[in-house]
Amino acid sequence: MILFTPHHVEMIKAGEKTQTRRIWKRPRAKVGAVHLVKTELFSREHHCKIRILDVRRELLGNITEDDARAEGGYSISEYIQVWEAINGVFDPDQLVYVVTFEVVH
């Protein structure tokens, strides 16, 4: 299970969001694994399922225009605003996990 904002769930279902950056101490997703997409931790409801295609670590500030588009169709400056709304400060030197996925039905 991976949590997303309700706004991002719709983007995932539409195929507009195929990547997510996470502040994890260790990876919580493995390539090939299928995860439920939820908006609430303890809810039984899930919105769809995603298959993990890639997991890598990189600095948050290394996001490219292509990555920002894969995060939901954003420009880099728009993505920074979204990140700050969800996570607080955008620290370009912060190590994050980048998870690439596809929707499975």
Side-chain angles (χ1 to χ4, degrees):
M1 182 258 317
I2 299 179
L3 291 176
F4 289 91
T5 65
H7 175 72
H8 283 149
V9 168
E10 295 309 313
M11 295 171 136
I12 292 166
K13 290 171 151 181
E16 298 166 2
K17 181 169 177 66
T18 59
Q19 201 174 84
T20 187
R21 280 163 173 67
R22 299 295 168 130
I23 306 169
W24 289 336
K25 291 181 182 177
R26 56 179 171 65
R28 296 184 188 171
K30 293 182 181 180
V31 173
V34 175
H35 290 264
L36 300 176
V37 170
K38 291 186 171 187
T39 56
E40 296 178 34
L41 183 60
F42 297 110
S43 172
R44 291 181 181 230
E45 179 185 3
H46 71 277
H47 301 277
C48 61
K49 295 178 183 179
I50 56 174
R51 177 177 293 115
I52 307 305
L53 302 176
D54 186 49
V55 178
R56 68 180 190 275
R57 282 195 92 178
E58 70 178 35
L59 294 176
L60 185 57
N62 287 353
I63 188 168
T64 66
E65 289 291 341
D66 287 342
D67 289 331
R69 278 191 294 281
E71 284 276 2
Y74 302 112
S75 67
I76 291 176
S77 61
E78 290 169 333
Y79 178 75
I80 290 171
Q81 291 176 2
V82 170
W83 177 273
E84 289 175 340
I86 295 170
N87 298 293
V89 176
F90 183 93
D91 176 0
D93 295 323
Q94 183 172 24
L95 266 176
V96 294
Y97 282 94
V98 180
V99 181
T100 304
F101 56 87
E102 66 182 358
V103 175
V104 293
H105 298 281

